[in-house]
């Protein structure tokens, strides 16, 4: 079986070389422990080995399509995550909680140390708005949420996807803990990615978005749209991005 690896969640074009170097270190560790780790990361559906008839669960139910039938230059994350040859990849706790965990093993957690809003395996999402439309705030020292509910009310929300913990579910849950719902926003726009959400708010197509703290750090470094935004609140701290595999990998490899 041809094995697959991917690190898609923070794989911005500007840091492609950095992500490749991260994988090279992981690849060499895996190889030294007897795993036939692939030379390069999968970044497109075309990089995933074909699975004729589609990817199936143990009962024979199709849970993801054959990568060969998908648009070659895009990356379908559900197909990646469910691929039988998946050796190592980043995922999100949202999809895991919504059913993905039945098909994969969680083998580690990303580290958010040194990132504003992060601490070890825990991360928060920054609530960003345009300058002058909200009061800038620092990340809470503890793990509690800091939501400016009245500032958020009747604003237009941009979010990356409905199953995203950092961009949607964390905000939804923290609002519910305060007796509110996402209905306080007058509109919800799905953008497909955190960077797209930053651009939507910066351009005025939306008013607010929840951006995980590491993506927000990258946006400030690489995306001009971020310079027009400020952080007006934070979601509560939760486990950050998990690393997953179709196999039970030894825990010591990713300590």
């Amino acid at each position: 079986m041809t094995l697959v690896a991917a690190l898609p969640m923070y794989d911005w074009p500007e840091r492609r070389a950095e992500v490749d170097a991260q994988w090279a270190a992981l690849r060499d560790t895996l190889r030294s422990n007897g795993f036939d780790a692939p030379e390069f990361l999968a970044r497109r559906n075309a990089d995933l080995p074909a699975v004729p008839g589609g990817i199936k669960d143990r009962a024979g139910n199709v849970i993801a399509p054959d990568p060969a039938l998908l648009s070659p230059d895009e990356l379908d994350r559900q197909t990646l995550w469910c691929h039988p040859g998946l050796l190592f990849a980043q995922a999100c706790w949202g999809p895991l909680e919504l059913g993905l965990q039945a098909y994969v093993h969680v083998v580690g957690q990303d580290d958010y140390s040194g990132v504003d809003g992060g601490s070890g395996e825990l991360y928060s999402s920054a609530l960003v708005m345009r300058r002058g439309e909200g009061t800038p705030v620092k990340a809470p020292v503890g793990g509690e949420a800091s939501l400016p509910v009245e500032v958020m009310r009747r604003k237009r929300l941009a979010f990356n996807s409905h199953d995203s913990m950092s961009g949607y579910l964390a905000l939804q849950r923290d609002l519910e803990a305060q007796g509110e719902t996402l209905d306080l926003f007058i509109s919800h726009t799905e953008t497909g990615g955190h960077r797209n959400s930053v651009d939507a708010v910066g351009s005025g197509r939306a008013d607010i978005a929840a951006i995980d703290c590491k993506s927000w750090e990258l946006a400030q470094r690489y995306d001009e749209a971020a310079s027009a935004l400020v952080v007006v609140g934070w979601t509560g701290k939760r486990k950050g991005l998990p690393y997953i595999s179709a196999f039970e990998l030894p825990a010591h490899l990713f300590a």
Side-chain angles (χ1 to χ4, degrees), residues 154-200:
R154 297 197 60 75
K155 296 298 190 295
R156 298 169 296 164
L157 174 69
F159 66 96
N160 51 344
S161 64
H162 284 100
D163 63 356
S164 168
M165 181 59 70
S166 57
Y168 191 83
L169 296 174
L171 178 59
Q172 180 184 51
R173 293 173 186 180
D174 287 346
L175 282 170
E176 288 174 351
Q178 297 188 22
E180 297 282 353
T181 72
L182 291 172
D183 289 340
L184 65 79
F185 299 109
I186 59 172
S187 67
H188 302 175
T189 299
E190 186 171 2
T191 66
H194 278 307
R195 191 170 192 171
N196 296 337
S197 296
V198 168
D199 292 341

Side-chain angles (χ1 to χ4, degrees), residues 222-254:
Y222 298 122
D223 198 325
E224 180 63 29
S227 65
L229 308 181
V230 295
V231 178
V232 301
W234 294 86
T235 63
K237 281 190 171 63
R238 292 170 170 81
K239 277 190 175 182
L241 296 186
Y243 295 113
I244 64 171
S245 177
F247 311 95
E248 293 190 56
L249 301 181
H252 74 271
L253 297 183
F254 312 108

